[in-house]
Amino acid sequence: MNRSPARAGLWLSLALLGSLAACSDPKPKRLLLITLDTTRADRLGCYGKDDAGTPNLDALAKRGALFERAFAHVPSTLPSHASILTGSYPPRHGARENGLYRLTPASETLAEVLSSRGYRTGAVFAARPLDPRFGLDQGFESYEGPGTGGGHQFEWRADQVTQRALKWLERHQDDESTFLWVHYFDPHKTYAPPSEYQARHPSDPYQGEIAYTDAQIGVLLAGLERLGMLEDTIVAVTADHGESLGEHGESTHSIFVYDATLHVPLILAGPTLPEGRRVPELVRTVDIVPTLLEALDQSDPAPSQRDGVSLLTRVRDGGRLRLSSYCESMSPRLRYGWCDLLGLRTDTMLYVNAPRPELYFDESDPAKTDNRFDEATPEEVAVWNRTLKKIAFERLPGDESTRAQVTQDVLADLKQLGYVEASLSAGQEDPEIWWSTRLELDDPKDRIEAAELLYEGLELQQAGRNGEAIAAFERATGLDPRNATAWLNLAGAHLQARDVEAAGAAFEEAVSVDPDFSRAHYQLAVFLLDEKRETEAGLRHLLEAVRCDPGFAEAMSRLARLHEQSDDLEEAGHWIAKAVAADPASLDLLRDQARIAGALEDWSVARTALRKILEIEPSDIEAQRQLRSLPEGKAQ
């Protein structure tokens, strides 16, 4: 019998009651983790929102535990999901900003733990910030999302995600133990819910997106019940972060660490969990992994990696929780050249370490608008800062580089989602130097208008209104003339308008105001090579890009091709080898290496490159043909 998404919530709540009554206390064998992108807790009905249109999440909360004050740690998709999946704060797991970093392999994810215990593991993610190149695929047998199966999409809508999740569940319904992570992206700006949900929330498309996502969660949970998997499945729902919606001058997220962007829903339901429990104390998204492992009766092989604790005893037996929570936002530093933000939350207050420090008390000031830092004693501030510094400097033993390799196509997708250019170099300095100098930078509170103009400019470009985008970017550079990102966006808009001279001037300004901005040097180099045909100047800026970021594979690849074109094959081989070392899974780089090695008659290197291609893509017919045709040994 077919049921519409709109009726799924009522049907599901009744089905759940029947399923649970039929089995007195089944042992949980399965786990379904649902993460909602950009979803504020106060926009769900179970958190007090009237006419929220979230009957499925509300029903789930009634049959499980709802945490009233759950907080994420970063207002950005990748780092927050990394904390959800590892139970670690960002300094430990290394994935501290979208598009720049990846999860360190030293982190052990929930999927890795469960996979090692015989669980079948799968993930369906909805947007490119969670692309496998950023490392969250660790431990997942199947990791499916935009771009992973060919084609070019930067976002999947909720119905696409649900369909793929149900197919995974169908394939694994006979497996004894399963873990599926499902990520929904729809509440992320730009808000464009299907017409039915837009009509229900005509003046609030953000709420319409949340209601649409809730309906698709209802379809997913109904499918879980239809497959006979619901009664032994723990269902966990949370969000990576919220959305400012204009609070504190920020229209979306990624900069500030107030409640608007970090207070998230957290709901747990399933066998052995009590029904209708509401937990009022502060909890963290780093607590999710320890809690789920205990709920599944699984020991944690790496408890020293976790910053979180299990909440299960509190959920089952009551008692008090006394936790504090670390938060950070690297985006102001990495994307705009401003001071990054570090914060410490307790059950009663939020302290933000910034050039102009902030202190808010939750009970009297839930909106965080009354800064009472002047009431703090020097001793209190010293304790808070010592705590922040200790957490911010913590790394995992054996930690590897967390620099992510991001190509122009992924960057273009990230820009479509509203993420402006960023500089990895801003995060590479010595920790002690970073700590002692960061407060000399601009306070994001004083520069938020420039960031909003950059968002506006990107949206105008996407709408085909490039002239208006140029005006927005020019206003941003006027407000914040030292903002290299603003100059870089202005350069791109001028180039799109085919104003080559204006584009060149803006590119030059970007590298002038931030000489260590690797991607600014790279984009200027590409401009000089492709538009101005100035090879020597282009080569110089490619070398500067690599100086700023020694792991910049795309810049090294361009250097290799540049030398190949000038018949300097030895130098081309040098650069392509460095590029492959930095990004060993790139098929494009491996193909370039095989071609250049073949021109050098270095058959050993060519053979290794072709074999790596076939490990990644066994059906590559051209690589198979080339490998068969290679002579043995190396020409002398």
Side-chain angles (χ1 to χ4, degrees), residues 18-46:
S19 297
L20 292 173
C23 187
S24 59
D25 192 19
K27 180 180 179 181
K29 299 177 181 178
R30 305 178 188 276
L31 172 61
L32 173 62
L33 171 62
I34 299 172
T35 59
L36 313 172
D37 215 288
T38 323
T39 301
R40 295 168 59 126
D42 61 7
R43 286 305 188 103
L44 303 185
C46 50

PDB file of all heavy atoms in Angstrom, residues 18-46:
ATOM      1  N   GLY A  18       3.381  -0.751  17.531  1.00  0.00           N
ATOM      2  CA  GLY A  18       3.105  -2.159  17.312  1.00  0.00           C
ATOM      3  C   GLY A  18       4.367  -2.985  17.289  1.00  0.00           C
ATOM      4  O   GLY A  18       4.431  -4.080  17.857  1.00  0.00           O
ATOM      5  N   SER A  19       5.399  -2.480  16.645  1.00  0.00           N
ATOM      6  CA  SER A  19       6.650  -3.227  16.543  1.00  0.00           C
ATOM      7  C   SER A  19       7.272  -3.423  17.907  1.00  0.00           C
ATOM      8  O   SER A  19       7.762  -4.507  18.239  1.00  0.00           O
ATOM      9  CB  SER A  19       7.628  -2.472  15.633  1.00  0.00           C
ATOM     10  OG  SER A  19       7.107  -2.375  14.342  1.00  0.00           O
ATOM     11  N   LEU A  20       7.261  -2.370  18.708  1.00  0.00           N
ATOM     12  CA  LEU A  20       7.921  -2.462  20.002  1.00  0.00           C
ATOM     13  C   LEU A  20       7.117  -3.357  20.965  1.00  0.00           C
ATOM     14  O   LEU A  20       7.699  -4.052  21.792  1.00  0.00           O
ATOM     15  CB  LEU A  20       8.087  -1.058  20.588  1.00  0.00           C
ATOM     16  CG  LEU A  20       9.089  -0.183  19.812  1.00  0.00           C
ATOM     17  CD1 LEU A  20       9.067   1.233  20.361  1.00  0.00           C
ATOM     18  CD2 LEU A  20      10.493  -0.760  19.878  1.00  0.00           C
ATOM     19  N   ALA A  21       5.805  -3.328  20.817  1.00  0.00           N
ATOM     20  CA  ALA A  21       5.000  -4.177  21.695  1.00  0.00           C
ATOM     21  C   ALA A  21       5.221  -5.644  21.385  1.00  0.00           C
ATOM     22  O   ALA A  21       5.149  -6.500  22.266  1.00  0.00           O
ATOM     23  CB  ALA A  21       3.518  -3.826  21.531  1.00  0.00           C
ATOM     24  N   ALA A  22       5.523  -5.941  20.095  1.00  0.00           N
ATOM     25  CA  ALA A  22       5.694  -7.334  19.696  1.00  0.00           C
ATOM     26  C   ALA A  22       6.980  -7.930  20.212  1.00  0.00           C
ATOM     27  O   ALA A  22       7.151  -9.137  20.255  1.00  0.00           O
ATOM     28  CB  ALA A  22       5.658  -7.436  18.170  1.00  0.00           C
ATOM     29  N   CYS A  23       7.917  -7.094  20.595  1.00  0.00           N
ATOM     30  CA  CYS A  23       9.226  -7.601  21.043  1.00  0.00           C
ATOM     31  C   CYS A  23       9.584  -6.868  22.315  1.00  0.00           C
ATOM     32  O   CYS A  23       9.819  -5.665  22.288  1.00  0.00           O
ATOM     33  CB  CYS A  23      10.272  -7.383  19.957  1.00  0.00           C
ATOM     34  SG  CYS A  23      11.860  -8.149  20.334  1.00  0.00           S
ATOM     35  N   SER A  24       9.611  -7.538  23.442  1.00  0.00           N
ATOM     36  CA  SER A  24       9.706  -6.875  24.741  1.00  0.00           C
ATOM     37  C   SER A  24      10.984  -6.079  24.906  1.00  0.00           C
ATOM     38  O   SER A  24      10.951  -4.945  25.321  1.00  0.00           O
ATOM     39  CB  SER A  24       9.582  -7.919  25.848  1.00  0.00           C
ATOM     40  OG  SER A  24      10.620  -8.888  25.709  1.00  0.00           O
ATOM     41  N   ASP A  25      12.119  -6.629  24.576  1.00  0.00           N
ATOM     42  CA  ASP A  25      13.377  -5.908  24.766  1.00  0.00           C
ATOM     43  C   ASP A  25      14.430  -6.466  23.807  1.00  0.00           C
ATOM     44  O   ASP A  25      15.400  -7.086  24.235  1.00  0.00           O
ATOM     45  CB  ASP A  25      13.845  -6.052  26.217  1.00  0.00           C
ATOM     46  CG  ASP A  25      14.980  -5.074  26.518  1.00  0.00           C
ATOM     47  OD1 ASP A  25      15.131  -4.105  25.761  1.00  0.00           O
ATOM     48  OD2 ASP A  25      15.704  -5.314  27.504  1.00  0.00           O
ATOM     49  N   PRO A  26      14.254  -6.260  22.510  1.00  0.00           N
ATOM     50  CA  PRO A  26      15.201  -6.828  21.552  1.00  0.00           C
ATOM     51  C   PRO A  26      16.568  -6.174  21.692  1.00  0.00           C
ATOM     52  O   PRO A  26      16.673  -4.992  22.008  1.00  0.00           O
ATOM     53  CB  PRO A  26      14.565  -6.495  20.199  1.00  0.00           C
ATOM     54  CG  PRO A  26      13.749  -5.271  20.464  1.00  0.00           C
ATOM     55  CD  PRO A  26      13.242  -5.417  21.861  1.00  0.00           C
ATOM     56  N   LYS A  27      17.584  -6.949  21.463  1.00  0.00           N
ATOM     57  CA  LYS A  27      18.939  -6.414  21.502  1.00  0.00           C
ATOM     58  C   LYS A  27      19.223  -5.653  20.214  1.00  0.00           C
ATOM     59  O   LYS A  27      18.949  -6.164  19.128  1.00  0.00           O
ATOM     60  CB  LYS A  27      19.944  -7.559  21.664  1.00  0.00           C
ATOM     61  CG  LYS A  27      21.392  -7.090  21.705  1.00  0.00           C
ATOM     62  CD  LYS A  27      22.337  -8.266  21.861  1.00  0.00           C
ATOM     63  CE  LYS A  27      23.782  -7.797  21.869  1.00  0.00           C
ATOM     64  NZ  LYS A  27      24.726  -8.934  21.986  1.00  0.00           N
ATOM     65  N   PRO A  28      19.733  -4.430  20.305  1.00  0.00           N
ATOM     66  CA  PRO A  28      20.001  -3.686  19.073  1.00  0.00           C
ATOM     67  C   PRO A  28      21.131  -4.326  18.269  1.00  0.00           C
ATOM     68  O   PRO A  28      22.200  -4.608  18.793  1.00  0.00           O
ATOM     69  CB  PRO A  28      20.394  -2.296  19.585  1.00  0.00           C
ATOM     70  CG  PRO A  28      20.878  -2.511  20.979  1.00  0.00           C
ATOM     71  CD  PRO A  28      20.084  -3.665  21.514  1.00  0.00           C
ATOM     72  N   LYS A  29      20.872  -4.562  17.002  1.00  0.00           N
ATOM     73  CA  LYS A  29      21.872  -5.131  16.108  1.00  0.00           C
ATOM     74  C   LYS A  29      22.246  -4.159  15.002  1.00  0.00           C
ATOM     75  O   LYS A  29      23.233  -4.363  14.304  1.00  0.00           O
ATOM     76  CB  LYS A  29      21.336  -6.411  15.465  1.00  0.00           C
ATOM     77  CG  LYS A  29      20.986  -7.513  16.435  1.00  0.00           C
ATOM     78  CD  LYS A  29      20.400  -8.704  15.682  1.00  0.00           C
ATOM     79  CE  LYS A  29      20.004  -9.824  16.642  1.00  0.00           C
ATOM     80  NZ  LYS A  29      19.384 -10.962  15.914  1.00  0.00           N
ATOM     81  N   ARG A  30      21.407  -3.137  14.840  1.00  0.00           N
ATOM     82  CA  ARG A  30      21.603  -2.232  13.718  1.00  0.00           C
ATOM     83  C   ARG A  30      21.629  -0.784  14.210  1.00  0.00           C
ATOM     84  O   ARG A  30      21.070  -0.461  15.249  1.00  0.00           O
ATOM     85  CB  ARG A  30      20.478  -2.402  12.693  1.00  0.00           C
ATOM     86  CG  ARG A  30      20.290  -3.831  12.203  1.00  0.00           C
ATOM     87  CD  ARG A  30      19.113  -3.919  11.234  1.00  0.00           C
ATOM     88  NE  ARG A  30      18.804  -5.297  10.911  1.00  0.00           N
ATOM     89  CZ  ARG A  30      19.425  -5.998   9.969  1.00  0.00           C
ATOM     90  NH1 ARG A  30      20.401  -5.425   9.263  1.00  0.00           N
ATOM     91  NH2 ARG A  30      19.078  -7.250   9.721  1.00  0.00           N
ATOM     92  N   LEU A  31      22.263   0.054  13.402  1.00  0.00           N
ATOM     93  CA  LEU A  31      22.350   1.474  13.725  1.00  0.00           C
ATOM     94  C   LEU A  31      22.048   2.284  12.478  1.00  0.00           C
ATOM     95  O   LEU A  31      22.611   2.027  11.404  1.00  0.00           O
ATOM     96  CB  LEU A  31      23.754   1.815  14.246  1.00  0.00           C
ATOM     97  CG  LEU A  31      24.068   3.305  14.454  1.00  0.00           C
ATOM     98  CD1 LEU A  31      23.134   3.925  15.486  1.00  0.00           C
ATOM     99  CD2 LEU A  31      25.522   3.478  14.884  1.00  0.00           C
ATOM    100  N   LEU A  32      21.167   3.259  12.619  1.00  0.00           N
ATOM    101  CA  LEU A  32      20.879   4.245  11.577  1.00  0.00           C
ATOM    102  C   LEU A  32      21.199   5.617  12.148  1.00  0.00           C
ATOM    103  O   LEU A  32      20.545   6.058  13.101  1.00  0.00           O
ATOM    104  CB  LEU A  32      19.415   4.169  11.145  1.00  0.00           C
ATOM    105  CG  LEU A  32      18.939   5.259  10.173  1.00  0.00           C
ATOM    106  CD1 LEU A  32      19.697   5.201   8.860  1.00  0.00           C
ATOM    107  CD2 LEU A  32      17.432   5.157   9.934  1.00  0.00           C
ATOM    108  N   LEU A  33      22.203   6.266  11.609  1.00  0.00           N
ATOM    109  CA  LEU A  33      22.585   7.621  12.025  1.00  0.00           C
ATOM    110  C   LEU A  33      22.149   8.584  10.931  1.00  0.00           C
ATOM    111  O   LEU A  33      22.579   8.468   9.777  1.00  0.00           O
ATOM    112  CB  LEU A  33      24.099   7.710  12.231  1.00  0.00           C
ATOM    113  CG  LEU A  33      24.674   9.114  12.467  1.00  0.00           C
ATOM    114  CD1 LEU A  33      24.113   9.738  13.741  1.00  0.00           C
ATOM    115  CD2 LEU A  33      26.200   9.069  12.518  1.00  0.00           C
ATOM    116  N   ILE A  34      21.290   9.521  11.279  1.00  0.00           N
ATOM    117  CA  ILE A  34      20.803  10.537  10.341  1.00  0.00           C
ATOM    118  C   ILE A  34      21.377  11.881  10.762  1.00  0.00           C
ATOM    119  O   ILE A  34      21.202  12.302  11.916  1.00  0.00           O
ATOM    120  CB  ILE A  34      19.272  10.602  10.339  1.00  0.00           C
ATOM    121  CG1 ILE A  34      18.678   9.255   9.902  1.00  0.00           C
ATOM    122  CG2 ILE A  34      18.776  11.718   9.431  1.00  0.00           C
ATOM    123  CD1 ILE A  34      17.167   9.188  10.061  1.00  0.00           C
ATOM    124  N   THR A  35      22.050  12.558   9.833  1.00  0.00           N
ATOM    125  CA  THR A  35      22.547  13.904  10.114  1.00  0.00           C
ATOM    126  C   THR A  35      21.860  14.896   9.194  1.00  0.00           C
ATOM    127  O   THR A  35      21.765  14.687   7.993  1.00  0.00           O
ATOM    128  CB  THR A  35      24.075  14.012   9.965  1.00  0.00           C
ATOM    129  OG1 THR A  35      24.468  13.658   8.636  1.00  0.00           O
ATOM    130  CG2 THR A  35      24.775  13.113  10.962  1.00  0.00           C
ATOM    131  N   LEU A  36      21.368  15.955   9.790  1.00  0.00           N
ATOM    132  CA  LEU A  36      20.662  17.009   9.078  1.00  0.00           C
ATOM    133  C   LEU A  36      21.604  18.185   8.919  1.00  0.00           C
ATOM    134  O   LEU A  36      22.131  18.697   9.906  1.00  0.00           O
ATOM    135  CB  LEU A  36      19.424  17.445   9.865  1.00  0.00           C
ATOM    136  CG  LEU A  36      18.535  16.324  10.403  1.00  0.00           C
ATOM    137  CD1 LEU A  36      17.465  16.902  11.319  1.00  0.00           C
ATOM    138  CD2 LEU A  36      17.921  15.553   9.263  1.00  0.00           C
ATOM    139  N   ASP A  37      21.823  18.611   7.718  1.00  0.00           N
ATOM    140  CA  ASP A  37      22.697  19.764   7.521  1.00  0.00           C
ATOM    141  C   ASP A  37      21.949  21.046   7.871  1.00  0.00           C
ATOM    142  O   ASP A  37      20.756  21.185   7.595  1.00  0.00           O
ATOM    143  CB  ASP A  37      23.175  19.812   6.062  1.00  0.00           C
ATOM    144  CG  ASP A  37      24.595  20.332   5.933  1.00  0.00           C
ATOM    145  OD1 ASP A  37      24.798  21.549   6.127  1.00  0.00           O
ATOM    146  OD2 ASP A  37      25.498  19.530   5.668  1.00  0.00           O
ATOM    147  N   THR A  38      22.636  21.964   8.547  1.00  0.00           N
ATOM    148  CA  THR A  38      22.153  23.332   8.720  1.00  0.00           C
ATOM    149  C   THR A  38      20.781  23.383   9.377  1.00  0.00           C
ATOM    150  O   THR A  38      19.907  24.134   8.947  1.00  0.00           O
ATOM    151  CB  THR A  38      22.119  24.049   7.349  1.00  0.00           C
ATOM    152  OG1 THR A  38      23.232  23.650   6.562  1.00  0.00           O
ATOM    153  CG2 THR A  38      22.181  25.557   7.524  1.00  0.00           C
ATOM    154  N   THR A  39      20.572  22.606  10.419  1.00  0.00           N
ATOM    155  CA  THR A  39      19.252  22.523  11.050  1.00  0.00           C
ATOM    156  C   THR A  39      19.315  22.960  12.506  1.00  0.00           C
ATOM    157  O   THR A  39      19.929  22.295  13.338  1.00  0.00           O
ATOM    158  CB  THR A  39      18.699  21.089  10.950  1.00  0.00           C
ATOM    159  OG1 THR A  39      18.597  20.726   9.570  1.00  0.00           O
ATOM    160  CG2 THR A  39      17.330  20.991  11.600  1.00  0.00           C
ATOM    161  N   ARG A  40      18.684  24.073  12.797  1.00  0.00           N
ATOM    162  CA  ARG A  40      18.596  24.576  14.165  1.00  0.00           C
ATOM    163  C   ARG A  40      17.667  23.697  14.991  1.00  0.00           C
ATOM    164  O   ARG A  40      16.618  23.248  14.520  1.00  0.00           O
ATOM    165  CB  ARG A  40      18.051  26.003  14.168  1.00  0.00           C
ATOM    166  CG  ARG A  40      18.922  27.029  13.516  1.00  0.00           C
ATOM    167  CD  ARG A  40      18.175  28.341  13.322  1.00  0.00           C
ATOM    168  NE  ARG A  40      17.696  28.917  14.564  1.00  0.00           N
ATOM    169  CZ  ARG A  40      17.952  30.170  14.966  1.00  0.00           C
ATOM    170  NH1 ARG A  40      18.706  30.948  14.224  1.00  0.00           N
ATOM    171  NH2 ARG A  40      17.458  30.621  16.090  1.00  0.00           N
ATOM    172  N   ALA A  41      18.037  23.500  16.245  1.00  0.00           N
ATOM    173  CA  ALA A  41      17.165  22.716  17.129  1.00  0.00           C
ATOM    174  C   ALA A  41      15.810  23.382  17.296  1.00  0.00           C
ATOM    175  O   ALA A  41      14.771  22.717  17.308  1.00  0.00           O
ATOM    176  CB  ALA A  41      17.840  22.525  18.484  1.00  0.00           C
ATOM    177  N   ASP A  42      15.785  24.714  17.390  1.00  0.00           N
ATOM    178  CA  ASP A  42      14.529  25.398  17.689  1.00  0.00           C
ATOM    179  C   ASP A  42      13.590  25.481  16.496  1.00  0.00           C
ATOM    180  O   ASP A  42      12.541  26.114  16.566  1.00  0.00           O
ATOM    181  CB  ASP A  42      14.795  26.797  18.248  1.00  0.00           C
ATOM    182  CG  ASP A  42      15.540  27.718  17.290  1.00  0.00           C
ATOM    183  OD1 ASP A  42      15.746  27.339  16.113  1.00  0.00           O
ATOM    184  OD2 ASP A  42      15.928  28.827  17.714  1.00  0.00           O
ATOM    185  N   ARG A  43      13.934  24.806  15.386  1.00  0.00           N
ATOM    186  CA  ARG A  43      13.033  24.757  14.232  1.00  0.00           C
ATOM    187  C   ARG A  43      12.308  23.410  14.114  1.00  0.00           C
ATOM    188  O   ARG A  43      11.642  23.163  13.105  1.00  0.00           O
ATOM    189  CB  ARG A  43      13.805  25.060  12.953  1.00  0.00           C
ATOM    190  CG  ARG A  43      14.184  26.525  12.775  1.00  0.00           C
ATOM    191  CD  ARG A  43      12.958  27.435  12.867  1.00  0.00           C
ATOM    192  NE  ARG A  43      13.233  28.809  12.533  1.00  0.00           N
ATOM    193  CZ  ARG A  43      12.916  29.385  11.368  1.00  0.00           C
ATOM    194  NH1 ARG A  43      12.318  28.679  10.433  1.00  0.00           N
ATOM    195  NH2 ARG A  43      13.176  30.646  11.153  1.00  0.00           N
ATOM    196  N   LEU A  44      12.420  22.551  15.128  1.00  0.00           N
ATOM    197  CA  LEU A  44      11.695  21.287  15.144  1.00  0.00           C
ATOM    198  C   LEU A  44      10.554  21.374  16.146  1.00  0.00           C
ATOM    199  O   LEU A  44      10.674  22.014  17.195  1.00  0.00           O
ATOM    200  CB  LEU A  44      12.617  20.131  15.523  1.00  0.00           C
ATOM    201  CG  LEU A  44      13.861  19.915  14.670  1.00  0.00           C
ATOM    202  CD1 LEU A  44      14.597  18.655  15.122  1.00  0.00           C
ATOM    203  CD2 LEU A  44      13.531  19.834  13.196  1.00  0.00           C
ATOM    204  N   GLY A  45       9.444  20.696  15.834  1.00  0.00           N
ATOM    205  CA  GLY A  45       8.312  20.713  16.741  1.00  0.00           C
ATOM    206  C   GLY A  45       8.643  20.171  18.111  1.00  0.00           C
ATOM    207  O   GLY A  45       8.198  20.707  19.134  1.00  0.00           O
ATOM    208  N   CYS A  46       9.441  19.113  18.169  1.00  0.00           N
ATOM    209  CA  CYS A  46       9.784  18.504  19.459  1.00  0.00           C
ATOM    210  C   CYS A  46      10.683  19.405  20.298  1.00  0.00           C
ATOM    211  O   CYS A  46      10.866  19.160  21.491  1.00  0.00           O
ATOM    212  CB  CYS A  46      10.432  17.138  19.246  1.00  0.00           C
ATOM    213  SG  CYS A  46      11.794  17.111  18.063  1.00  0.00           S
TER     214      CYS A  46
END
